[in-house]
Amino acid sequence: MVDKKLALELIKKYRDAWVNQDPNAILKIFTKDAIYHERVLEKPFKGHREIKKYWKNKVVGEQKNIKFKLLSIYIEKDTIIAEWEVNFYDKKREVNIHMKEVAILEIRKDKIKSLREYWSSEKY
């Protein structure tokens, strides 16, 4: 059972890894066999190797000046549902991006075993 303290700690570590563009830090909050669904209708990233590769390519390779704000968080047994807002500069497309996202995180012990992202973004 996940409590609010653990949920907020995991979201903070996720945020810090994203803002600091640190693929090694993100792996510390995922189980070794974790599933990361960045786009739920596409193939997920499985395990530390694939998650790290995605973060290196996408977060480090394509984003900068990341600003993250947690909007809400809900907890049901071993599942966290978090809503956040993010602004960043997309280096690949050379535009500023505003994104709102809902993430569903399934937790095993104190780590994320599954993350599914549902988001929408716009240029600004």
Side-chain angles (χ1 to χ4, degrees):
M1 196 94 166
V2 175
D3 63 18
K4 190 168 184 176
K5 181 181 176 188
L6 175 60
L8 290 172
E9 181 182 310
L10 287 170
I11 298 299
K12 181 187 181 307
K13 288 179 179 180
Y14 184 93
R15 178 202 67 206
D16 291 349
W18 193 356
V19 169
N20 296 318
Q21 298 177 283
D22 188 342
N24 292 317
I26 199 64
L27 296 181
K28 292 178 183 176
I29 62 170
F30 281 91
T31 62
K32 295 223 182 271
D33 61 344
I35 305 291
Y36 190 117
H37 242 124
E38 191 257 347
R39 295 180 187 253
V40 295
L41 297 177
E42 295 179 12
K43 182 181 171 210
F45 303 103
K46 295 180 179 180
H48 277 195
R49 181 185 297 145
E50 289 185 20
I51 293 169
K52 185 173 184 176
K53 181 179 178 185
Y54 161 73
W55 269 65
K56 284 175 110 174
N57 292 337
K58 187 73 169 185
V59 176
V60 177
E62 297 181 14
Q63 301 173 358
K64 71 178 186 179
N65 301 329
I66 301 156
K67 309 269 188 298
F68 178 109
K69 180 181 178 185
L70 179 63
L71 301 174
S72 57
I73 189 167
Y74 305 93
I75 303 163
E76 177 65 30
K77 296 181 183 175
D78 290 328
T79 302
I80 302 165
I81 301 169
E83 178 186 21
W84 55 68
E85 186 169 35
V86 179
N87 292 296
F88 60 86
Y89 182 77
D90 184 320
K91 298 187 286 189
K92 187 175 180 182
R93 296 186 293 165
E94 299 181 339
V95 295
N96 289 308
I97 299 293
H98 170 242
M99 178 190 313
K100 278 204 172 179
E101 177 173 329
V102 172
I104 300 172
L105 302 88
E106 295 178 48
I107 309 304
R108 182 188 311 135
K109 295 186 181 178
D110 62 348
K111 295 192 177 194
I112 301 165
K113 71 174 183 175
S114 171
L115 181 145
R116 294 183 308 280
E117 298 180 341
Y118 300 85
W119 52 268
S120 184
S121 64
E122 63 186 354
K123 300 174 196 173
Y124 73 95

